[in-house]
């Protein structure tokens, strides 16, 4: 097995329909200071073109880490080949210089000894994706751990606020495992910021000038400069604003800049909470736990029923 070197906290997910565009975005991100990239070979009409792109990119940028992914269409990827062909492409990517490969659990369960051969040359990240919701996580983790790998990635879709904690708590309950833990969608955005602080080995970001490869991805520049992903500790205080919609709120920009100026170990997040999910939000608030949160439309009145104390003037207003 290759030496275990820590990955950077942010991986730029690059999925494009032609190799030149892939390389152009990788170079642009490199110039912006990024050094860890996922090359989605399955986005290319011929994944072999991605193998050549890895070799070409690393020839000039030797200080970078590339993870190769070639997800099959049966698992919401774009590669139409067999598992055998998928593994052959990933082996070629390793030979071209990729230090890590992502193999979805559905393929890995059919690999047997072939997966162990991959592990002798690169870091194998075993991945699970659920685009419909967040199922019982313990069952997912048990299934995955039956297949030996270097790290385990669990990505679900957050349908309600408490799904964020259900995903993040895996890192706390399994501190000896290398994990990547994320929930897709706007509701799951907090996991993209908090996962490394909870013990996940890294989070994913979209390239600055293009869409990401999953719902909810934002740029590394935003994760690093506004949310300070690389500096969030396990003991950081978590604050936020709850709203629907919440994307337009300037509160994260205001409060995170203030935390930065005061050198506070804290982060302020946007929490998308639909009107029918207010009670569920308090499950998340207790378990994270949240140190405090702001409330805006449409929850300003309904929030009162969940509060322990309401000042008379606030109630009148």
């Amino acid at each position: 097995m290759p030496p275990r070197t820590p990955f950077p906290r942010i991986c730029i997910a690059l999925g494009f329909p032609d190799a030149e565009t892939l390389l152009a975005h990788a170079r642009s991100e490199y110039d912006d200071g990024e050094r860890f990239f996922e090359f989605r070979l399955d986005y290319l009409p011929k994944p072999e073109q991605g193998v050549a792109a890895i070799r070409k990119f690393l020839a000039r940028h030797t200080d970078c880490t590339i993870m190769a992914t070639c997800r099959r269409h049966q698992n919401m990827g774009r590669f139409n080949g067999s598992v055998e062909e998928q593994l052959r492409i990933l082996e070629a990517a390793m030979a071209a210089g990729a230090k890590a490969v992502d193999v979805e659990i559905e393929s890995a369960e059919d690999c047997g000894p072939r997966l162990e051969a991959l592990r002798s040359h690169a870091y194998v990240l075993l991945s699970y994706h659920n685009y419909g919701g967040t199922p019982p996580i313990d069952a997912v983790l048990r299934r995955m751990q039956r297949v030996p790998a270097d790290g385990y990635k669990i990505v679900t879709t957050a349908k309600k606020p408490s799904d964020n904690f259900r995903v993040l708590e895996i890192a706390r309950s399994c501190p000896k495992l290398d994990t990547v833990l994320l929930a897709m969608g706007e509701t799951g955005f907090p996991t993209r910021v908090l996962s490394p602080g909870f013990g996940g080995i890294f989070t994913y970001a979209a390239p600055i000038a293009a869409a990401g490869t999953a719902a909810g991805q934002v740029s590394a520049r935003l994760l690093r400069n506004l949310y300070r992903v690389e500096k969030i500790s396990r003991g950081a205080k978590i604050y936020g604003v709850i709203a629907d919609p919440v994307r337009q709120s300037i509160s994260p920009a205001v409060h995170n800049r203030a935390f930065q100026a005061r050198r506070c170990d804290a982060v302020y997040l946007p929490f998308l909470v639909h009107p029918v999910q207010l009670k569920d939000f308090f499950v998340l608030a207790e378990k994270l736990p949240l140190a405090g949160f702001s409330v805006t439309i449409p929850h300003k009145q309904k929030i009162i029923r969940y509060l322990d104390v309401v000042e008379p003037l606030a109630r009148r207003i």
Side-chain angles (χ1 to χ4, degrees), residues 4 8 11 16 21 23 25 34 47 49-50 53 78 94 139 141 162 188 195 206 222-223 234 272 277 282 288 298 303:
R4 293 283 188 88
C11 177
F16 297 97
T21 303
L23 284 170
H25 280 279
E34 302 305 326
Q49 297 171 343
R78 302 188 182 186
M94 290 188 302
L141 191 59
S162 62
S195 180
L222 188 67
L223 289 175
R234 289 177 181 266
L272 176 63
Q277 297 177 338
F282 277 89
L288 273 180
I303 195 73

Side-chain angles (χ1 to χ4, degrees), residues 41 47-48 51 54-55 68-70 83-103 111-122 124:
L41 308 186
E48 293 81 3
V51 174
I54 291 173
R55 185 176 289 109
T69 300
C70 188
V83 173
E84 174 67 26
E85 292 169 322
Q86 176 190 26
L87 293 177
R88 177 178 54 78
I89 291 166
L90 292 177
E91 289 167 350
M94 290 188 302
K99 294 180 181 178
V101 294
D102 180 321
V103 182
C111 288
R114 191 81 174 268
L115 195 65
E116 282 302 309
L118 284 175
R119 293 183 68 198
S120 66
H121 298 288
V124 172

Side-chain angles (χ1 to χ4, degrees), residues 114-196:
R114 191 81 174 268
L115 195 65
E116 282 302 309
L118 284 175
R119 293 183 68 198
S120 66
H121 298 288
Y123 186 101
V124 172
L125 183 66
L126 193 67
S127 64
Y128 166 89
H129 296 80
N130 191 309
Y131 293 85
T134 300
I137 300 297
D138 289 345
V140 173
L141 191 59
R142 285 196 298 271
R143 175 189 178 188
M144 296 187 73
Q145 287 186 281
R146 295 189 189 106
V147 181
D150 300 303
Y152 297 88
K153 180 174 80 172
I154 296 178
V155 180
T156 69
T157 300
K159 295 294 187 180
K160 57 185 185 297
S162 62
D163 286 342
N164 287 281
F165 179 77
R166 294 175 58 207
V167 171
L168 290 171
E169 70 174 337
I170 300 172
R172 286 180 173 173
S173 61
C174 304
K176 294 183 179 180
L177 283 183
D178 275 10
T179 53
V180 177
L181 306 165
L182 299 168
M184 293 181 285
E186 188 178 357
T187 301
F189 174 75
T191 64
R192 297 190 177 278
V193 175
L194 297 175
S195 180

Side-chain angles (χ1 to χ4, degrees), residues 104-302:
E104 60 268 30
I105 181 64
E106 293 84 356
S107 292
E109 288 173 331
D110 293 331
C111 288
R114 191 81 174 268
L115 195 65
E116 282 302 309
L118 284 175
R119 293 183 68 198
S120 66
H121 298 288
Y123 186 101
V124 172
L125 183 66
L126 193 67
S127 64
Y128 166 89
H129 296 80
N130 191 309
Y131 293 85
T134 300
I137 300 297
D138 289 345
V140 173
L141 191 59
R142 285 196 298 271
R143 175 189 178 188
M144 296 187 73
Q145 287 186 281
R146 295 189 189 106
V147 181
D150 300 303
Y152 297 88
K153 180 174 80 172
I154 296 178
V155 180
T156 69
T157 300
K159 295 294 187 180
K160 57 185 185 297
S162 62
D163 286 342
N164 287 281
F165 179 77
R166 294 175 58 207
V167 171
L168 290 171
E169 70 174 337
I170 300 172
R172 286 180 173 173
S173 61
C174 304
K176 294 183 179 180
L177 283 183
D178 275 10
T179 53
V180 177
L181 306 165
L182 299 168
M184 293 181 285
E186 188 178 357
T187 301
F189 174 75
T191 64
R192 297 190 177 278
V193 175
L194 297 175
S195 180
F198 270 61
I201 54 177
F202 61 82
T203 188
Y204 286 87
I208 293 172
T213 58
Q217 283 179 358
V218 298
S219 72
R221 186 180 294 176
L222 188 67
L223 289 175
R224 182 175 288 111
N225 296 338
L226 180 60
Y227 293 105
R228 297 183 295 162
V229 162
E230 295 170 308
K231 297 181 180 180
I232 295 175
S233 74
R234 289 177 181 266
K237 290 187 176 181
I238 304 170
Y239 299 88
V241 56
I242 66 170
D244 181 17
V246 75
R247 189 176 301 173
Q248 83 292 346
S249 175
I250 65 170
S251 293
V254 172
H255 289 84
N256 284 315
R257 295 301 183 203
F259 290 152
Q260 186 174 8
R262 292 282 185 168
R263 300 182 182 276
C264 297
D265 186 13
V267 64
Y268 188 100
L269 298 167
F271 291 96
L272 176 63
V273 180
H274 299 306
V276 297
Q277 297 177 338
L278 197 52
K279 184 177 181 179
D280 181 82
F281 167 76
F282 277 89
V283 175
L284 173 68
E286 180 181 1
K287 290 187 174 181
L288 273 180
L290 285 188
F293 61 91
S294 311
V295 182
T296 188
I297 294 173
H299 306 301
K300 288 189 174 186
Q301 291 181 327
K302 289 186 177 179

Side-chain angles (χ1 to χ4, degrees), residues 296-314:
T296 188
I297 294 173
H299 306 301
K300 288 189 174 186
Q301 291 181 327
K302 289 186 177 179
I303 195 73
I304 290 175
R305 72 182 65 170
Y306 297 100
L307 303 180
D308 296 320
V309 178
V310 181
E311 291 292 334
L313 179 58

